[in-house]
Amino acid sequence: MEFYEAINRRSSVREFSGEAIPEETIKRIIEAAYKAPTNDHFRDWHFIVVTDKALMADVLSGVPQNLTVKDVDKMTFISDPVQKESYQFAVPKQYSMLVNAAAVIIPLMKKKVDILHPADLSHLNCFASVWCSIENLWLAATAEGCGCNLRIPQGNEEENARKATGFPEEYMIPCFIGIGIPADNAVRTKQLVPDMEKQIHWQKF
């Protein structure tokens, strides 16, 4: 797939065909993640790939399973109709979009700083780097004909995943990634289209 085609085709996929993804394909996709820029050159990231459905259920046991459109409507900060429609579709699928994926990929990064209380922006370099790797992974997955979604852990979700997979305390999860072959009827939610004439500034704002 041509590079800009992959960028334009990449979008969150929350409904999958049930088809497995070959191990070699997943390896290629994760290898692309390691090509991302990194703040310290070490690329000290690890990726746990979970395909066993029983283990996947354990990993995701903290993810809410019964969210509804009414739960979304209680989020009073959502006023834009396109954003609201997207949330109404996506939020109730937070569990199913992961547990029904061919695999859940868990990126891991070392806890080098307090991400939630950085001393300055440079302390977030390690966090920014792992997200660059996640974007590479998504684009590679798209180029391979796969689709992805993600969820940032909340509450006890990270600890449940740690107990299920045994990763060390010095690592944290930036997100869970569900990956699979998109279902034929997979819904791609509407996106707000940026006004390039207003949002690109030459020389001055």
Side-chain angles (χ1 to χ4, degrees):
M1 187 180 296
E2 193 265 344
F3 177 70
Y4 282 102
E5 182 184 356
I7 287 179
N8 290 326
R9 284 173 60 95
R10 191 221 62 77
S11 65
S12 294
V13 175
R14 300 178 178 89
E15 298 154 321
F16 297 106
S17 68
E19 183 181 346
I21 302 174
E23 186 175 300
E24 287 304 312
T25 301
I26 293 179
K27 285 182 178 179
R28 277 197 307 274
I29 290 169
I30 293 176
E31 185 177 6
Y34 283 104
K35 305 296 183 182
T38 180
N39 65 303
D40 59 8
H41 304 287
F42 294 133
R43 292 180 171 83
D44 188 16
W45 310 314
H46 292 261
F47 295 86
I48 301 175
V49 182
V50 180
T51 57
D52 179 88
K53 289 298 182 181
L55 179 57
M56 196 181 289
D58 287 343
V59 166
L60 302 172
S61 60
V63 179
Q65 299 183 29
N66 300 305
L67 294 173
T68 67
V69 172
K70 287 184 178 180
D71 294 320
V72 180
D73 291 339
K74 292 176 183 177
M75 300 176 185
T76 55
F77 67 88
I78 303 175
S79 58
D80 181 88
V82 174
Q83 184 187 31
K84 186 171 184 177
E85 180 182 338
S86 178
Y87 271 58
Q88 286 176 331
F89 174 75
V91 171
K93 292 183 177 289
Q94 292 297 289
Y95 180 78
S96 65
M97 71 182 188
L98 291 166
V99 79
N100 293 328
V104 170
I105 298 176
I106 306 173
L108 298 174
M109 59 170 287
K110 268 196 174 175
K111 299 177 185 177
K112 298 180 180 179
V113 297
D114 185 349
I115 295 295
L116 297 181
H117 303 93
D120 53 51
L121 280 179
S122 68
H123 279 202
L124 296 177
N125 285 346
C126 57
F127 197 50
S129 292
V130 76
W131 277 100
C132 288
S133 79
I134 291 164
E135 178 67 6
N136 269 24
L137 188 154
W138 271 45
L139 291 173
T142 302
E144 293 282 356
C146 302
C148 295
N149 58 63
L150 68 79
R151 175 179 173 81
I152 297 173
Q154 299 179 31
N156 64 350
E157 294 173 34
E158 180 177 85
E159 190 54 37
N160 287 0
R162 191 190 311 278
K163 289 178 181 176
T165 60
F167 66 87
E169 284 285 342
E170 63 264 29
Y171 286 90
M172 64 173 287
I173 302 175
C175 67
F176 297 111
I177 301 171
I179 181 171
I181 306 300
D184 290 338
N185 61 347
V187 174
R188 309 290 180 118
T189 57
K190 294 178 184 177
Q191 300 294 310
L192 292 171
V193 179
D195 186 332
M196 302 298 284
E197 293 302 316
K198 291 183 178 179
Q199 292 180 239
I200 295 179
H201 307 272
W202 302 94
Q203 301 359 306
K204 296 183 179 180
F205 191 93

